[in-house]
Amino acid sequence: MTGIDETHDPQLRSWVASANEPGTDFPVQNLPYGRFRRSASEEPWRIGVAIGDQILDLKLATGQCPWDAPVAALLEPLAEGDLASLMTCSIDERRLLRLALSTALREGSLQGPFLELCLLPQDDATMTLPCRIGDYTDFYTGIHHATAVGKLFRPDQPLLPNYKWVPIGYHGRSSSIGVSGNDFMRPRGQFRVAADAPPVFDASRRLDYELELGAFVAQGNALGQPVAIADAEDHLFGICLLNDWSARDIQPWEYQPLGPFLSKSFATTISPWIVSMEALAPYRCAWGRPDGDPQPLAYLDAASNRERGAIDITLEVWLQTAAMRKRGERAVRLSASNFRDAYWTLAQLVAHHSSNGCNLGVGDLLGTGTQSGPQAGQGGSLLELTQGGRQPIKLPNGESRTFLEDGDCVTLRAACAREGAARIGFGNCSATVLGASPVAQVRS
Ligand code: CA
């Protein structure tokens, strides 16, 4: 787990003016990585660092600016568009590059005049997945979500007895993960419209979002070699926002006994910028169990995890309907919660995932599960906010929602702020629900 250093100093300012504006997600203390190219171009994808409302193009920055040899060696594969090269580096190497970028982007930097030529406005860029995502596992660390949803699906036993012992997860589809701005079609699937009715195959009528974070695996582990929890964070590169779109009519019909399948695999949206574990150092906090809950088994317990395993990240969901967009009305906030309330930490997820010898690979993505808060109205999905679709949400413009309608745009946002530290954000994780996917046709 990396500590706080000069790159986190809240007094630092950048020569990129927009990085100093209050409320920016990308001050010089953040420096998240993403993959982009100029909009409407067919250029190869490049790695960049978000700074204010700009992107520092690392291909141009590598070529046009003098760097110390060890830094240049780290930048060269990034200049080729390969973020995985940095993900497999040691923590010390990652910190070295972060310090070099921080120094270069600070006010008064000697490299500033070179790097001014290497900026692209974020508005002029198209983003894509930051790296190849080999495998995607979605966990279920939000105990307030698990309890609320459990009540709807199993009123007699909301939280299953394993929940407080084992970090629950399932293997998701990496093929349908897209970045913010990649809109998607409403899925079709099999579901029942009444408890005793035979199933139908139709467009989902109960389409929902899930407010989650995604953690990217840095160095993997060899098959058969579990990761000790005390080392687990060395295997993480950073965090993005993740929306696990879910069809709530397909889900209850298909999920027993093997878990979610087609109710989830049609689309997942992530924010394009990976906020590094290094950048998150000032916002770490203690982790523990509520009184009366079981303590974790030894392989899921470590002093480092108890001292700093949790992360204080505020999370929000915003909705803009097609009608709101047409009238120029801004999105409305549906809920807010905090990742600090998760029942399991990221280190526990890595330790558990690899505990049977399963090998994690560079660029694998671990979803945290829906992050709902403990209070009413803090649900990270419409399923919770509408009590399973029974209590519609009233929107300020007079519209209401139980589940998502075509044209609805859902945006997830997140930020870290703490006394004595800069505020950093994650950027937007947005996508719009298009009409239903087509029915398969026989090819003649
Ligand atoms: Ca989920």
Side-chain angles (χ1 to χ4, degrees):
M1 214 177 271
T2 62
I4 295 173
D5 59 31
E6 65 172 273
T7 65
H8 302 101
D9 181 349
Q11 304 304 326
L12 292 181
R13 289 172 61 84
S14 174
W15 51 262
V16 180
S18 58
N20 305 321
E21 286 172 11
T24 179
D25 279 349
F26 306 120
V28 72
Q29 292 86 355
N30 193 346
L31 306 177
Y33 297 95
R35 202 149 60 119
F36 75 99
R37 66 184 175 200
R38 283 183 298 166
S39 298
S41 82
E42 295 296 318
E43 297 169 344
W45 296 102
R46 299 174 176 204
I47 304 300
V49 172
I51 179 79
D53 61 8
Q54 305 287 310
I55 300 172
L56 178 67
D57 180 333
L58 293 189
K59 183 177 180 68
L60 294 180
T62 302
Q64 301 216 354
C65 181
W67 301 93
D68 290 345
V71 174
L74 294 170
L75 281 170
E76 271 156 25
L78 292 176
E80 299 303 313
D82 177 15
L83 188 58
S85 68
L86 182 64
M87 297 168 111
T88 53
C89 285
S90 70
I91 300 254
D92 286 346
E93 288 169 316
R94 279 156 43 188
R95 289 183 75 177
L96 178 72
L97 182 59
R98 175 177 163 82
L99 177 60
L101 292 170
S102 166
T103 306
L105 287 165
R106 285 177 207 171
E107 251 174 13
S109 154
L110 295 175
Q111 289 148 299
F114 298 97
L115 295 179
E116 276 179 25
L117 307 170
C118 308
L119 295 178
L120 181 72
Q122 286 169 28
D123 283 347
D124 296 345
T126 300
M127 305 298 299
T128 189
L129 294 177
C131 60
R132 195 187 85 85
I133 301 172
D135 273 302
Y136 161 46
T137 301
D138 197 19
F139 284 94
Y140 203 46
T141 71
I143 190 169
H144 306 296
H145 170 76
T147 305
V149 171
K151 262 183 207 152
L152 296 170
F153 285 16
R154 295 174 305 275
D156 50 326
Q157 194 181 31
L159 205 59
L160 294 170
N162 58 358
Y163 186 87
K164 293 183 176 180
W165 292 97
V166 60
I168 302 293
Y170 70 94
H171 195 176
R173 279 297 294 183
S174 56
S175 61
S176 51
I177 299 173
V179 290
S180 185
N182 295 167
D183 301 334
F184 66 97
M185 286 180 283
R186 177 181 297 273
R188 289 179 190 276
Q190 191 181 130
F191 54 86
R192 293 193 299 185
V193 291
D196 51 359
V200 298
F201 181 85
D202 200 358
S204 171
R205 299 164 197 179
R206 290 164 68 90
L207 182 61
D208 200 356
Y209 58 80
E210 290 192 338
L211 167 61
E212 305 195 20
L213 291 166
F216 280 91
V217 172
Q219 292 167 339
N221 60 297
L223 185 63
Q225 300 295 319
V227 177
I229 183 167
D231 299 332
E233 287 221 0
D234 294 355
H235 292 260
L236 290 176
F237 182 72
I239 295 179
C240 63
L241 281 157
L242 185 152
N243 189 336
D244 177 23
W245 304 100
S246 300
R248 302 303 187 192
D249 34 18
I250 301 171
Q251 187 176 352
W253 177 235
E254 73 170 3
Y255 92 107
Q256 296 194 75
L258 289 184
F261 180 33
L262 302 182
S263 56
K264 304 278 193 174
S265 61
F266 57 94
T268 305
T269 305
I270 62 171
S271 53
W273 297 106
I274 308 182
V275 177
S276 69
M277 299 308 289
E278 293 77 51
L280 292 165
Y283 319 101
R284 305 305 301 247
C285 42
W287 173 89
R289 281 273 181 262
D291 287 345
D293 277 15
Q295 296 303 319
L297 297 179
Y299 80 101
L300 295 173
D301 203 359
S304 56
N305 190 56
R306 286 182 180 269
E307 286 157 18
R308 291 171 22 93
I311 316 177
D312 186 340
I313 306 175
T314 57
L315 306 164
E316 296 177 336
V317 182
W318 296 75
L319 172 69
Q320 188 187 46
T321 68
M324 292 162 70
R325 205 158 43 247
K326 202 169 166 187
R327 292 182 210 136
E329 295 168 4
R330 295 162 66 100
V332 292
R333 196 175 78 173
L334 296 183
S335 72
S337 55
N338 195 304
F339 184 49
R340 204 177 42 201
D341 292 326
Y343 199 75
W344 300 99
T345 65
L346 296 178
Q348 287 170 322
L349 302 187
V350 170
H352 183 66
H353 204 316
S354 66
S355 62
N356 65 345
C358 173
N359 48 333
L360 303 178
V362 58
D364 283 2
L365 185 63
L366 309 181
T368 59
T370 309
Q371 300 299 309
S372 303
Q375 313 295 331
Q378 292 185 325
S381 67
L382 285 174
L383 184 68
E384 294 156 86
L385 295 178
T386 68
Q387 295 291 309
R390 289 193 292 270
Q391 293 177 8
I393 295 176
K394 290 263 182 273
L395 303 176
N397 68 352
E399 289 185 279
S400 67
R401 285 291 180 277
T402 47
F403 292 98
L404 296 171
E405 296 189 7
D406 292 352
D408 282 355
C409 177
V410 176
T411 298
L412 311 183
R413 294 189 55 78
C416 299
R418 193 169 251 197
E419 190 75 33
R423 175 199 177 276
I424 64 170
F426 284 67
N428 284 357
C429 177
S430 294
T432 299
V433 181
L434 305 175
S437 58
V439 178
Q441 300 290 329
V442 176
R443 292 176 63 181
S444 54

